[in-house]
């Protein structure tokens, strides 16, 4: 009951934010981040229609894909160590969190070797917080030729995390900054390289993110709050 209410409420808020932004709501993909969820909750969520699930830790993603079956696309939203990439690559639909050229070239080599074309987003540290993973905007711009040289990895857009805050308006300039960076990078790329996706917005700020152009929102807490663990 509670999960269904939470899910319907999140969908309603995504639709409303999309309408405010004058964008069709089917342009925004909800990734349900399941890192704190019981397996039963995840199964119920899939039954309600959630088709995109995300985990932040590679090991937990591997375990989830063993626990949970069904028509699900898995997303890795957290840091990927290069030595975990081989295990995770065949399981994921989209890696949101490619945060270094070293990881990108490791994925490029694995894509070649495993005959895969991994779909990825590049994580950018727009807010400039020292503890955060991700490229700085300057770094990404300076190395853009190396990004464009990838032949196996499919780079579909950018991802960012806003600073923790109670006020979604503090996230808005970060989201806008990611969109503007995407526009500049796309303009510096061949026409076929459009970086269509912006993964930005979590439980506390996904509406502002959609208004600023998010095509993917990553939501955990708002879906699972109020549920009691039976463990
Ligand atoms: C946990 C997590 C989320 C979801 O955050 P909530 O605030 O629980 O909605 C989104 N993105 C990443 C990278 C996360 O680790």
């Amino acid at each position: 009951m509670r999960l269904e209410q939470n899910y319907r409420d999140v969908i309603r808020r995504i639709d409303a934010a999309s309408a405010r932004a004058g964008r069709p709501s089917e342009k925004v993909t909800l990734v349900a981040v399941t890192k704190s969820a019981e397996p039963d909750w995840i199964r119920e969520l899939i039954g309600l229609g959630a088709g995109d699930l995300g985990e932040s830790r590679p090991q937990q993603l591997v375990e989830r894909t063993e626990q949970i079956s069904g028509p699900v696309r898995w997303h890795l939203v957290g840091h990927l160590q290069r030595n975990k990439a081989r295990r995770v690559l065949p399981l994921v639909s989209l890696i949101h969190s490619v945060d270094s050229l070293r990881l990108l070239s490791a994925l490029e080599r694995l894509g070649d070797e495993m005959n895969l074309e991994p779909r990825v987003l590049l994580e950018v540290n727009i807010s400039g917080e020292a503890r955060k993973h991700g490229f700085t905007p300057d770094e990404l711009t300076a190395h853009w030729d190396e990004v464009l040289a990838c032949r196996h990895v499919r780079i579909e857009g950018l991802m960012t995390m806003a600073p923790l805050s109670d006020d979604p308006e503090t996230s808005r300039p970060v989201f806008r900054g990611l969109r503007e960076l995407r526009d500049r990078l796309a303009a510096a790329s061949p026409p076929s390289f459009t970086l269509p996706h912006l993964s930005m917005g979590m439980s506390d700020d996904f509406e502002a993110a959609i208004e600023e152009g998010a095509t993917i929102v990553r939501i955990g807490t708002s879906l699972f709050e109020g549920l009691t663990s039976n463990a």
Side-chain angles (χ1 to χ4, degrees):
M1 253 343 259
R2 181 65 198 260
L3 182 62
E4 178 165 4
Q5 277 170 15
N6 288 352
Y7 179 67
R8 304 258 176 255
D9 189 53
V10 166
I11 298 288
R12 184 184 54 70
R13 289 169 61 193
I14 289 173
D15 289 350
S18 302
R20 279 198 300 283
R23 307 174 50 210
S25 57
E26 60 283 3
K27 288 275 157 72
V28 179
T29 299
L30 166 63
V31 172
V33 180
T34 52
K35 63 190 176 206
S36 58
E38 301 281 330
D40 282 348
W41 305 350
I42 303 176
R43 292 187 192 104
E44 188 183 341
L45 199 63
I46 294 169
L48 292 169
D52 290 271
L53 304 182
E55 281 291 336
S56 56
R57 291 180 27 240
Q59 184 55 37
Q60 199 171 359
L61 187 141
V62 171
E63 286 161 22
R64 289 300 199 196
T65 61
E66 288 159 3
Q67 271 170 350
I68 306 290
S69 54
V72 174
R73 291 171 294 276
W74 283 100
H75 296 246
L76 181 69
V77 300
H79 180 62
L80 176 59
Q81 300 85 350
R82 278 174 298 145
N83 64 0
K84 302 267 170 68
R86 182 184 297 276
R87 183 81 175 90
V88 161
L89 223 47
L91 304 175
V92 283
S93 163
L94 182 65
I95 299 172
H96 292 226
S97 42
V98 172
D99 52 11
S100 70
L101 290 171
R102 275 164 55 129
L103 176 58
L104 185 62
S105 52
L107 294 178
E108 182 71 5
R109 278 194 304 278
L110 281 172
D112 188 11
E113 181 192 321
M114 300 170 83
N115 203 15
L116 293 171
E117 294 193 348
R119 298 171 57 231
V120 311
L121 307 177
L122 303 174
E123 180 171 356
V124 188
N125 181 355
I126 296 281
S127 61
E129 290 164 280
R131 303 178 39 251
K132 276 224 164 92
H133 288 292
F135 295 92
T136 67
D138 285 349
E139 194 183 0
L140 201 52
T141 308
H143 293 281
W144 195 241
D145 284 351
E146 288 159 69
V147 173
L148 290 177
C150 287
R151 289 291 165 265
H152 300 278
V153 178
R154 284 160 53 191
I155 296 151
E156 304 210 337
L158 306 180
M159 177 273 221
T160 199
M161 310 252 293
L164 277 184
S165 161
D166 295 338
D167 179 4
E169 290 309 312
T170 59
S171 304
R172 189 182 294 275
V174 172
F175 298 149
R176 186 172 303 155
L178 192 72
R179 169 165 47 86
E180 290 171 351
L181 177 65
R182 188 274 308 274
D183 292 348
R184 286 196 299 278
L185 293 171
S189 306
S192 61
F193 199 89
T194 59
L195 300 167
H197 285 296
L198 293 174
S199 168
M200 55 189 194
M202 316 193 337
S203 290
D204 287 333
D205 54 21
F206 68 89
E207 287 150 308
I210 291 169
E211 289 165 11
E212 295 301 331
T215 63
I216 305 175
V217 291
R218 311 177 308 268
I219 299 179
T221 310
S222 292
L223 290 171
F224 301 112
E225 67 191 349
L227 282 91
T228 37
S229 163
N230 50 18

